[in-house]
Amino acid sequence: MLSLRNKPSPFVILIIIVVLGYWQISFGVYGLKWDVIDVVLPFRYFFSECIKSGYFPFWDPYQQTGTPFYADLQAPTYYPELIITSMFGGYGVYTMHVLFVVYLGIAATGMYKLSFYFNKSRGASLIAGLSYSFSGYIVGHGQHFFLLVGAAWIPFVILSYIRLNQNREIIDSLKTGIFVFLMLTGAYQALSIAMAYLLLLIFIYSLIKTLVEKNLQGALQIIKLNLFFFFILLLLCLPLLASTLEIISSVGRLNDGVDLKRALALGQPYTSFISFVAPFSTLKYNELFGNADFSLINHYFGTVPLLFFIASLFRKHSILEYLILGFGLVIFSMSFDFLPVRGFMYKNAPFMDLFLCAAYIRVYGLLALILFSANYFACFEKNITCHKNKIIALSSILLIALGYLVVVSLCNFSSKDFKHLFHSGGVGPFLKNMSFYQNLLVQSIFHFMVIAGLIAIIVCHKKIRHPGAFVFLLSLGEIVAATQLNMNVTVIDMQHKPRDMQEDLSLCPESFPIPVDGKIIFNDQQNAFFPPFWRNTYIFTKQVAFGAFSSFKLDTYKKIDERPKLKDAVLNNHLFYFSDTIAPLSKFLNGTDTVAGLPALLYFSDQDYGTLSGANAKTCSADIIKVLDFSPNSATVETNTGHAQFLTMLQTNYKGWKAFVDDKPTQIYTSNFNYRTIFLPGGKHVVRYEYKNNKVLVLYIVSNVMFVICILFLLGRCLYHKNSKNKIYIYIPLALIILLTLLATTNFSQKKKYHTVSQYYNERFEKQDAVFCIEQDFEGATSNYDSVTVFSGKKSFVVDPGIEFLPIMELVQEDNKIKKGTLMATAKIYSESYCKALIVSDIRGQWHAAKIEKQIEGLEQWNEVRYVRNVPEMDNGEVLKLYLWNPGKSSFIIDDISVELFD
């Protein structure tokens, strides 16, 4: 038996094993990958930037040319983690690593507690916690942070709700309300939908059981406590409910659900069952798995626990256990395309039509299997002799199956294939180059040895002092090893170090400076940032873009996105632009418009067109727009025009936005399906746009205050029961209240700075702090632009279509002359067109570029362009090259080039 008396707390053991089992993440050896970097980090980063700058994040101006961030269900605005992390410094690459490990620790702890509730065995519950936190669901979905958050809280929700209905204490109602709130606000919404059904089943079971026992008072108490739980949950979720009700009419998916055909297309075949014993094999040979994403087909939770689960089916369990198992199997079966369950649930179960991928919620099935497995192990370790024959028989069958997989694998490749692998160079390439059958062979042999070891322990259990401990260690070793085999594909990025990623992220401007006023169409995904960041990067760089990697799309955004010609014409403008040409939207929709595609053309609804058609608007090249400030919830511009204009801002015209001309309200019209347009009289004016939503803000404050009070109450209660003499149960909660109050006051009382991106970098990198500075004045150059005054007062250089490359700087590392630090290059560009050229740096053959066209704020004027890059440590003889590349064969003038390196 596994005895933990006088040993460290099981929770300490769980945390240590999770930290060590995911050591690449825990110790920052390799970076996280895919959605964690492309979706989770950008959205949380934006939230923390808002909080640190004194704003509530109502509006994200950088994604989809403006989107209501507060109502985006995939951006967990109302999840307490975001506000707490933001007040303690905000989000970065290292923050996500810490949170990843923290949530897996929470998941392991929660599963331990849930298992212990049923079997009262520490050893069995340790196996349950580790099987859960190292399961194929967790490892396969390493990039899907919202699923990991859900997996962390699910065991706590189930356990607290079972206790609510069985113990009938109000404290369990409070705990359940908090845990469900954390799930609703922080996890994938489909997990909460499934959870609602499970809680309903548990409620019905508990109520019927109590009535059958003729305990009417107990039944009434269950109803009262459930009402209190629901009341707590409702109060905590008020801002989420309010924002969802506000957005529901603007997002068709929330009204109409998802398409059944698309939902069924994401199912997986029966072949994915192989992952129960060989998860490593799921990383290759997509055709075998119906081309399903490999994150969806990993159902592994350990072969030893799998054997115990099968054995548990031959043992009687409680009705509650069977209820959890039955529900889990129904949810799990929704993942498979050969079963009709997904279609049936889609058509008949409310809210099951709101999400696409049923495999995302299969965690309920794995949780049930692990729970049954742990419960049987608890019986097994008490009396191994009674259960040994059953386990040996099942193990023998599994050994035969694994032996068959070994034979099949060996028949599908030769020894030469393995020899070729050993010349791959490094663990990463070795694992990457392995074929499906090689993966299958390695995994099958490994688990064959594990099961053989299990049989040996059982056979010799009388000669072993603690045979249960050996089974625990065997199970631990196999799940950690299996996790490590899959980590490099589904969890970690072995090509990028967190330190380098964080340093690149730190180059982004802080707070919310006025964006470089280039044309929005140039802010595409290409050359947006540094790898591995490549989607949603304009949140970091603080530039407005149309594109976004996001499932949340307003209907008005989708309308223009579905019309590429109109979209390109509209985006071929700056953030603010003047127009004098308007047309009714009906002419565009019926195809009778003959001037479609003009950048300055505005389409209005027929009603608005009737109102505006009589306006006497006229644009002129001398008209001026100057952006004075720009923040998530407001923007101000100064205009000077000779005639009346239509002023358009390339931001979504979402309900709640208001516009003021010289502090007087003016109506905002929707142009081109999506954007804000006002009628602006001629002359000099100050135009201000602002968004306020006091209802949501007040509800958010109420929700957070209530959450903090509940948490501090539970903390104080816990401390009181542990030590009620020295009043530490009062002092610690009081200290936390003071700390949170100070942090909140500091963050929301910061002075807002309105400066440009250029001013931000000039303040951050001052010339006198540079390790070296190189300036290029082109003293010997000649110019064909006689009418242009050179910027520097010396000579400018004309880049004509025949110049493809213009060397700016080339330095060879000698005696540590080139320090590790930040390279910044600035120049002035004069052009009569938006030149397709780039500033490029090359170190060790790895180049990075910045597009010049993105930084041109106006033609026939001098524009400042800037390029920033982190320089790594360079060995002697290595070369740092900086040059201008002109692939578009553009013509422009460049002047006043300055290159600086900052340590």
Side-chain angles (χ1 to χ4, degrees), residues 839-869:
I839 298 177
V840 183
S841 67
D842 187 326
I843 304 173
R844 300 169 185 160
Q846 298 180 353
W847 67 277
H848 179 265
K851 288 185 175 181
I852 289 177
E853 62 186 0
K854 291 184 179 183
Q855 304 183 59
I856 296 180
E857 297 186 328
L859 299 178
E860 299 183 4
Q861 68 179 43
W862 287 103
N863 294 273
E864 182 180 66
V865 297
R866 184 181 306 272
Y867 173 74
V868 185
R869 176 180 178 173

Side-chain angles (χ1 to χ4, degrees), residues 528-570:
F529 203 45
F530 298 90
F533 303 99
W534 66 290
R535 294 185 291 199
N536 295 334
T537 60
Y538 289 102
I539 285 180
F540 300 135
T541 57
K542 307 298 190 333
Q543 290 294 123
V544 177
F546 181 83
F549 182 59
S550 171
S551 60
F552 178 81
K553 296 179 180 179
L554 296 176
D555 293 339
T556 55
Y557 172 85
K558 291 172 67 176
K559 286 179 180 178
I560 190 169
D561 192 31
E562 292 166 353
R563 295 166 172 85
K565 289 185 178 179
L566 177 63
K567 177 182 71 175
D568 289 347
V570 171

Side-chain angles (χ1 to χ4, degrees), residues 111 114-115 118 324 366-376:
M111 193 63 208
L114 180 61
S115 173
F118 284 100
I324 293 174
L366 293 176
L367 179 144
L369 302 185
I370 293 170
L371 187 61
F372 265 60
S373 172
N375 291 349
Y376 186 82

Side-chain angles (χ1 to χ4, degrees), residues 26 71 130 231 252-253 286 307 376 502 546 558 587 611 696 732 885:
S26 305
L130 294 172
F231 177 70
R253 178 172 174 174
N286 287 352
L307 283 174
Y376 186 82
Q502 183 61 47
F546 181 83
K558 291 172 67 176
K587 290 185 67 177
T611 302
V696 169
I732 290 182
W885 182 28

Side-chain angles (χ1 to χ4, degrees), residues 1 7 13 35 85 106 127 172 197 222 257 275 294 398 414 492 494 588 670 716 757 782 787 856 895 901:
M1 294 174 63
K7 297 291 182 67
I13 294 173
D35 283 15
T85 304
I106 292 173
I127 290 180
D172 292 314
Y197 282 98
I222 288 175
S275 65
F294 44 67
L398 183 55
S414 65
I492 58 173
M494 298 182 71
F588 174 80
T670 300
V757 170
T782 58
S787 61
I856 296 180
D895 192 11
L901 181 65

Side-chain angles (χ1 to χ4, degrees), residues 369-428:
L369 302 185
I370 293 170
L371 187 61
F372 265 60
S373 172
N375 291 349
Y376 186 82
F377 179 77
C379 298
F380 169 81
E381 69 172 352
K382 289 179 181 178
N383 192 342
I384 296 180
T385 302
C386 178
H387 298 278
K388 70 174 185 177
N389 291 335
K390 186 186 299 183
I391 296 299
I392 290 175
L394 292 173
S395 299
S396 300
I397 295 173
L398 183 55
L399 279 180
I400 295 172
L402 290 169
Y404 172 77
L405 294 178
V406 170
V407 173
V408 170
S409 302
L410 289 172
C411 292
N412 281 276
F413 66 89
S414 65
S415 58
K416 292 182 179 180
D417 296 329
F418 256 132
K419 290 181 180 179
H420 177 71
L421 280 175
F422 285 105
H423 293 86
S424 299
V427 176

